[in-house]
Short mmCIF file of all heavy atoms in Angstrom, two decimals:
data_model
loop_
_atom_site.label_atom_id
_atom_site.label_comp_id
_atom_site.label_asym_id
_atom_site.label_seq_id
_atom_site.Cartn_x
_atom_site.Cartn_y
_atom_site.Cartn_z
N LEU B 792 -9.57 -37.59 -51.48
CA LEU B 792 -9.73 -38.84 -50.61
C LEU B 792 -11.15 -38.76 -49.99
O LEU B 792 -11.62 -39.90 -49.90
CB LEU B 792 -8.63 -38.75 -49.46
CG LEU B 792 -7.09 -38.90 -49.87
CD1 LEU B 792 -6.16 -38.84 -48.69
CD2 LEU B 792 -7.01 -40.21 -50.67
N LEU B 793 -11.57 -37.80 -49.54
CA LEU B 793 -12.83 -37.65 -48.86
C LEU B 793 -14.04 -38.09 -49.81
O LEU B 793 -15.03 -38.64 -49.44
CB LEU B 793 -13.02 -36.37 -48.23
CG LEU B 793 -12.29 -36.16 -46.92
CD1 LEU B 793 -12.15 -34.75 -46.48
CD2 LEU B 793 -13.05 -36.89 -45.83
N ARG B 794 -13.82 -37.52 -51.04
CA ARG B 794 -14.92 -37.82 -52.07
C ARG B 794 -14.91 -39.27 -52.31
O ARG B 794 -15.95 -40.00 -52.61
CB ARG B 794 -14.50 -36.94 -53.42
CG ARG B 794 -15.34 -35.73 -53.49
CD ARG B 794 -15.26 -35.03 -54.70
NE ARG B 794 -13.81 -34.48 -54.96
CZ ARG B 794 -13.40 -33.46 -54.34
NH1 ARG B 794 -14.29 -32.62 -53.58
NH2 ARG B 794 -12.21 -32.96 -54.48
N LYS B 795 -13.80 -39.95 -52.34
CA LYS B 795 -13.70 -41.41 -52.48
C LYS B 795 -14.06 -42.23 -51.31
O LYS B 795 -14.32 -43.48 -51.48
CB LYS B 795 -12.24 -41.79 -53.05
CG LYS B 795 -12.01 -41.53 -54.40
CD LYS B 795 -10.63 -42.03 -54.93
CE LYS B 795 -9.65 -40.96 -55.24
NZ LYS B 795 -8.29 -41.33 -55.14
N SER B 796 -14.11 -41.61 -50.17
CA SER B 796 -14.35 -42.31 -48.92
C SER B 796 -15.87 -42.72 -48.86
O SER B 796 -16.63 -42.22 -49.60
CB SER B 796 -13.95 -41.51 -47.72
OG SER B 796 -14.91 -40.56 -47.32
N GLY B 797 -16.20 -43.52 -47.90
CA GLY B 797 -17.56 -43.91 -47.73
C GLY B 797 -18.33 -42.91 -46.65
O GLY B 797 -19.50 -43.13 -46.33
N LEU B 798 -17.53 -41.79 -46.38
CA LEU B 798 -18.08 -40.79 -45.41
C LEU B 798 -19.19 -39.94 -46.27
O LEU B 798 -19.27 -39.91 -47.49
CB LEU B 798 -17.16 -39.90 -44.89
CG LEU B 798 -16.11 -40.61 -43.97
CD1 LEU B 798 -14.97 -39.59 -43.65
CD2 LEU B 798 -16.76 -41.14 -42.68
N ASN B 799 -20.12 -39.30 -45.47
CA ASN B 799 -21.09 -38.45 -46.00
C ASN B 799 -20.42 -37.13 -46.13
O ASN B 799 -20.56 -36.17 -45.33
CB ASN B 799 -22.30 -38.38 -45.00
CG ASN B 799 -23.27 -37.40 -45.43
OD1 ASN B 799 -23.25 -36.87 -46.61
ND2 ASN B 799 -24.22 -37.04 -44.49
N PHE B 800 -19.59 -36.98 -47.26
CA PHE B 800 -18.77 -35.82 -47.45
C PHE B 800 -19.50 -34.62 -48.16
O PHE B 800 -20.06 -34.83 -49.28
CB PHE B 800 -17.50 -36.16 -48.37
CG PHE B 800 -16.61 -35.03 -48.45
CD1 PHE B 800 -16.19 -34.19 -47.47
CD2 PHE B 800 -16.12 -34.76 -49.73
CE1 PHE B 800 -15.24 -33.15 -47.60
CE2 PHE B 800 -15.18 -33.69 -49.98
CZ PHE B 800 -14.79 -32.85 -48.91
N TYR B 801 -19.58 -33.45 -47.45
CA TYR B 801 -20.32 -32.42 -48.10
C TYR B 801 -19.46 -31.55 -49.08
O TYR B 801 -20.07 -31.06 -49.93
CB TYR B 801 -20.71 -31.47 -46.79
CG TYR B 801 -21.32 -30.10 -47.18
CD1 TYR B 801 -22.79 -29.99 -47.26
CD2 TYR B 801 -20.54 -28.97 -47.45
CE1 TYR B 801 -23.16 -28.85 -47.61
CE2 TYR B 801 -21.20 -27.81 -47.68
CZ TYR B 801 -22.42 -27.62 -47.70
OH TYR B 801 -23.00 -26.44 -48.15
N GLY B 802 -18.29 -31.54 -48.86
CA GLY B 802 -17.38 -30.77 -49.66
C GLY B 802 -16.61 -29.76 -48.86
O GLY B 802 -16.52 -29.84 -47.69
N ASN B 803 -16.08 -28.78 -49.55
CA ASN B 803 -15.34 -27.78 -48.86
C ASN B 803 -16.32 -26.75 -48.06
O ASN B 803 -17.54 -26.49 -48.44
CB ASN B 803 -14.69 -26.77 -49.81
CG ASN B 803 -13.37 -27.47 -50.48
OD1 ASN B 803 -12.86 -28.40 -49.95
ND2 ASN B 803 -13.04 -27.01 -51.64
N VAL B 804 -15.90 -26.35 -46.88
CA VAL B 804 -16.68 -25.35 -46.16
C VAL B 804 -15.68 -24.29 -45.83
O VAL B 804 -14.54 -24.46 -45.89
CB VAL B 804 -17.32 -25.92 -44.81
CG1 VAL B 804 -18.41 -26.87 -45.15
CG2 VAL B 804 -16.25 -26.51 -43.84
N GLU B 805 -16.21 -23.08 -45.55
CA GLU B 805 -15.37 -21.98 -45.13
C GLU B 805 -15.54 -21.61 -43.62
O GLU B 805 -16.37 -22.19 -43.00
CB GLU B 805 -15.77 -20.68 -46.00
CG GLU B 805 -15.57 -21.00 -47.54
CD GLU B 805 -15.71 -19.78 -48.34
OE1 GLU B 805 -14.94 -18.83 -48.22
OE2 GLU B 805 -16.76 -19.66 -49.08
N GLY B 806 -14.68 -20.67 -43.23
CA GLY B 806 -14.61 -20.35 -41.73
C GLY B 806 -16.05 -20.15 -41.13
O GLY B 806 -16.40 -20.57 -40.09
N ASN B 807 -16.85 -19.30 -41.96
CA ASN B 807 -18.23 -18.93 -41.35
C ASN B 807 -19.09 -20.08 -41.29
O ASN B 807 -20.17 -20.08 -40.55
CB ASN B 807 -18.85 -17.86 -42.21
CG ASN B 807 -18.76 -18.06 -43.72
OD1 ASN B 807 -18.11 -18.92 -44.27
ND2 ASN B 807 -19.61 -17.32 -44.43
N ASP B 808 -18.85 -21.16 -42.04
CA ASP B 808 -19.73 -22.45 -42.09
C ASP B 808 -19.67 -23.10 -40.66
O ASP B 808 -20.66 -23.79 -40.31
CB ASP B 808 -19.30 -23.35 -43.09
CG ASP B 808 -19.81 -22.88 -44.53
OD1 ASP B 808 -21.02 -22.66 -44.67
OD2 ASP B 808 -18.82 -22.77 -45.37
N ILE B 809 -18.63 -22.84 -39.87
CA ILE B 809 -18.52 -23.55 -38.52
C ILE B 809 -19.64 -23.12 -37.83
O ILE B 809 -20.32 -23.94 -37.25
CB ILE B 809 -17.20 -23.08 -37.87
CG1 ILE B 809 -16.04 -23.56 -38.66
CG2 ILE B 809 -17.16 -23.63 -36.46
CD1 ILE B 809 -14.56 -23.14 -38.03
N TYR B 810 -19.95 -21.74 -37.68
CA TYR B 810 -20.99 -21.16 -36.80
C TYR B 810 -22.37 -21.36 -37.51
O TYR B 810 -23.42 -21.14 -36.76
CB TYR B 810 -20.60 -19.79 -36.27
CG TYR B 810 -19.45 -19.96 -35.29
CD1 TYR B 810 -18.15 -19.63 -35.76
CD2 TYR B 810 -19.58 -20.55 -33.99
CE1 TYR B 810 -17.08 -19.70 -34.92
CE2 TYR B 810 -18.47 -20.72 -33.26
CZ TYR B 810 -17.24 -20.30 -33.71
OH TYR B 810 -16.15 -20.43 -32.85
N LYS B 811 -22.40 -21.46 -38.90
CA LYS B 811 -23.67 -21.53 -39.44
C LYS B 811 -24.22 -23.00 -39.22
O LYS B 811 -25.36 -23.26 -39.37
CB LYS B 811 -23.47 -21.45 -41.03
CG LYS B 811 -23.55 -20.06 -41.62
CD LYS B 811 -23.63 -20.26 -43.08
CE LYS B 811 -23.37 -18.92 -43.75
NZ LYS B 811 -23.07 -19.19 -45.22
N GLY B 812 -23.25 -23.85 -38.92
CA GLY B 812 -23.78 -25.31 -38.63
C GLY B 812 -23.98 -25.89 -40.00
O GLY B 812 -24.87 -26.97 -40.00
N THR B 813 -23.28 -25.57 -40.91
CA THR B 813 -23.52 -26.27 -42.34
C THR B 813 -23.26 -27.75 -42.27
O THR B 813 -24.04 -28.54 -43.01
CB THR B 813 -22.43 -25.66 -43.33
OG1 THR B 813 -22.59 -24.21 -43.28
CG2 THR B 813 -22.64 -26.01 -44.66
N VAL B 814 -22.33 -28.22 -41.47
CA VAL B 814 -22.03 -29.73 -41.53
C VAL B 814 -21.77 -30.06 -39.89
O VAL B 814 -21.72 -29.25 -39.07
CB VAL B 814 -20.71 -30.05 -42.21
CG1 VAL B 814 -20.86 -29.90 -43.78
CG2 VAL B 814 -19.47 -29.12 -41.75
#
Side-chain angles (χ1 to χ4, degrees):
Chain B
L792 293 178
L793 281 160
R794 265 182 289 282
K795 280 187 242 154
S796 78
L798 296 172
N799 178 12
F800 182 51
Y801 172 90
N803 289 333
V804 295
E805 298 186 72
N807 51 344
D808 288 301
I809 297 174
Y810 294 102
K811 270 191 197 167
T813 307
V814 289

